[in-house]
Amino acid sequence: MPAGLVALALGGFGIGLTEFVIAGLLPQVGRSLAVSEAAAGWLISGYALTVAVGAIAVTAATAGLPRKPVLTGLVVLFVLGNLVSALAPNYPVMMLGRVVAALCHGSFFGIGSLVARRMVAPERASRAVAVMFAGLTVANVLGVPFGALVGERWGWRATFWAITGIGVVAVLAIAVLVPEWAGKPEAETGTAGALSGQIRAMRSRQVWLTLGATALSYGGMFGAFSYLAYTFTEVTGFSDTDVAWLLVVYGSGLVAGNLVGGRAADRNRDRALIASLTALTATLATFGLLAGSPAASVILTFLLGLFGFAPVPGLITRVTDAAHGLPLAASANVSASNVGNALGAWLGGLAISAGLGYTAPLYVGAAIVLAGLVTMLFAAYGTAGQERQ
C-alpha cells in the first residue's frame, strides 16, 4: 500500500473525528458556553450545512491549482478550525471554529479521492478510495466514545486539542508522503482544470444520475440511522446504556462495507453498486419488520453499516470518471451525500411526527434507497448503451 494513501487516511480520520466527536460532548459544551440544548445542536447542523456548501465552493475556488498543496492547505484549515474550537471563549467563536473546520471536509475527500486513485493502477482505483475513506469510517466508530472519554477525564477542550494534534501530524504526513505527481493527472492539461472546464464536465447526464444515486443512498441510510437510538430503546427494548455498543456495531459495519465495496467496485463497478443498493433496501425493510427482536436488530445494525457504506468508493470513482477526473464532481458527491443526509433525517422525523412509530424511519429509508437503486439502474443502462454504440 502506498504510504501516501496512509497519509490521506490519517487526514480523513482527523476530519471524521471533528465531525462525529461533538455528539458525545454536547452536554459539556452547552453547559460550559451557557447555551441551550438546541443551540448546542447547531454545532452539528452548522458543520453539516457548511460541508454541503463548502465542498463545491472551496473546490471551485481552488480549480486549476496543484492538488497536493491544496490538500495540505485544507488540512491546515482543519487544524485552525479545531484550534479555534479548543480556545473558544463563547458560543459564536465555537461555531466559527466548527465552520472553519467544516470548510475543508468536502474538498479534502473530493480532491483526495482523485489523488488516491492516481497512486495505484487503474484497476485498483476504488480500493484506493476505500483506503482513504477508511480513516473516516474508523473515526465514526471511535469518534463519539473518544470524545466522551477524553472530555470526561480532561474536559471537552482537551478533545479538540487532541484533534488539533492529529491534524498537525496529518499535515506533515501529506506533505512528506503524498507524491507531487499524484496531484497532476494527465487528463488535466491546458484549461481543463479551470473552473469553466469543470462546469462543462458537470453537464454530463451520468454525473447527475450518479449524484442522485449518492444523495438517495446516503439519505435512506442516514434517515434511518438518525432515529436508530429510539428504535433500539422504544421498539427493541434495549436500555439507554446499550445504545453505545450498538453504535459501535454499526460503525464496524461501515469499516467493513467501505473495504468490501471498494474491492467489489474494482471488479465490476455498476454491478457492485446495484447489488449493494438492493441489499441496503432489503436490510432497511427487514429491520423494520424485525426491530422487536434484539438478536435480529444486532445483526441488521451491522448489515446497515455494511451495505450503507459499500457503495461509497464506487460512487466516487463513477462520478469522477463521468466528469473526466475533475475535482468539482468528486466534491459535489460529498455535497450530495450531505444533502441526502438532511433529506433522510427530515423525512424520517416527519414519519415519526405523523404517528407512524419508531420503525417508520426504517421503511422511509428503504423507500429512499429504492429510489436511489432505480436511479442507479438508469445510470448503468445509459453506460451500457454507450458501450454498445
Side-chain angles (χ1 to χ4, degrees):
M1 180 190 302
L5 286 180
V6 177
L8 293 175
L10 178 61
F13 176 69
I15 292 172
L17 279 182
T18 300
E19 180 177 19
F20 302 122
V21 79
I22 190 68
L25 298 172
L26 279 186
Q28 284 189 52
V29 174
R31 287 193 300 269
S32 175
L33 301 180
V35 296
S36 67
E37 291 86 349
W42 269 101
L43 295 173
I44 297 176
S45 302
Y47 185 98
L49 290 172
T50 304
V51 171
V53 176
I56 295 176
V58 173
T59 303
T62 57
L65 297 178
R67 291 175 184 168
K68 180 178 175 178
V70 169
L71 281 176
T72 306
L74 289 172
V75 183
V76 170
L77 192 66
F78 155 79
V79 170
L80 292 175
N82 282 283
L83 183 61
V84 170
S85 294
L87 295 170
N90 52 47
Y91 178 78
V93 176
M94 181 68 180
M95 180 61 79
L96 174 64
R98 295 289 291 169
V99 167
V100 170
L103 283 173
C104 80
H105 185 124
S107 294
F108 178 85
F109 286 108
I111 297 171
S113 66
L114 299 177
V115 174
R117 63 184 297 179
R118 277 282 291 155
M119 284 189 269
V120 299
E123 64 272 15
R124 297 179 63 87
S126 293
R127 272 173 281 188
V129 172
V131 170
M132 188 191 74
F133 271 84
L136 179 66
T137 56
V138 171
N140 194 298
V141 179
L142 300 179
V144 175
F146 170 81
L149 178 64
V150 174
E152 287 174 10
R153 186 173 292 265
W154 295 291
W156 65 267
R157 295 181 189 277
T159 302
F160 286 97
W161 279 113
I163 297 173
T164 300
I166 292 171
V168 171
V169 175
V171 169
L172 295 175
I174 291 171
V176 173
L177 299 177
V178 174
E180 293 286 348
W181 54 262
K184 299 175 182 177
E186 294 90 340
E188 215 169 282
T189 57
T191 61
L195 181 57
S196 59
Q198 299 200 49
I199 292 174
R200 284 195 296 274
M202 290 291 290
R203 296 174 183 172
S204 165
R205 182 170 177 265
Q206 285 295 324
V207 167
W208 287 101
L209 284 171
T210 309
L211 290 177
T214 296
L216 292 166
S217 62
Y218 268 91
M221 176 186 69
F222 194 79
F225 172 75
S226 298
Y227 303 97
L228 211 51
Y230 293 103
T231 307
F232 289 147
T233 57
E234 303 297 328
V235 180
T236 315
F238 285 114
S239 67
D240 290 341
T241 55
D242 288 325
V243 172
W245 67 262
L246 287 164
L247 293 180
V248 172
V249 171
Y250 169 78
S252 300
L254 294 180
V255 175
N258 175 54
L259 298 176
V260 171
R263 185 174 292 273
D266 280 334
R267 294 197 184 101
N268 188 312
R269 186 167 57 200
D270 283 359
R271 185 180 299 170
L273 289 171
I274 290 168
S276 58
L277 292 176
T278 301
L280 179 57
T281 303
T283 297
L284 286 163
T286 305
F287 204 159
L289 292 171
L290 302 181
S293 166
S297 292
V298 173
I299 294 170
L300 289 163
T301 296
F302 177 81
L303 293 179
L304 179 61
L306 177 72
F307 296 124
F309 216 87
V312 172
L315 286 168
I316 290 177
T317 56
R318 193 181 201 283
V319 78
T320 51
D321 282 348
H324 311 296
L326 295 175
L328 188 61
S331 296
N333 199 71
V334 179
S335 292
S337 66
N338 278 270
V339 170
N341 290 350
L343 174 67
W346 176 63
L347 291 176
L350 284 181
I352 293 174
S353 299
L356 299 179
Y358 288 112
T359 59
L362 292 163
Y363 293 117
V364 171
I368 296 172
V369 176
L370 180 60
L373 172 60
V374 172
T375 304
M376 188 61 235
L377 287 169
F378 274 112
Y381 179 79
T383 300
Q386 292 172 3
E387 291 174 351
R388 289 193 296 269
Q389 293 175 356

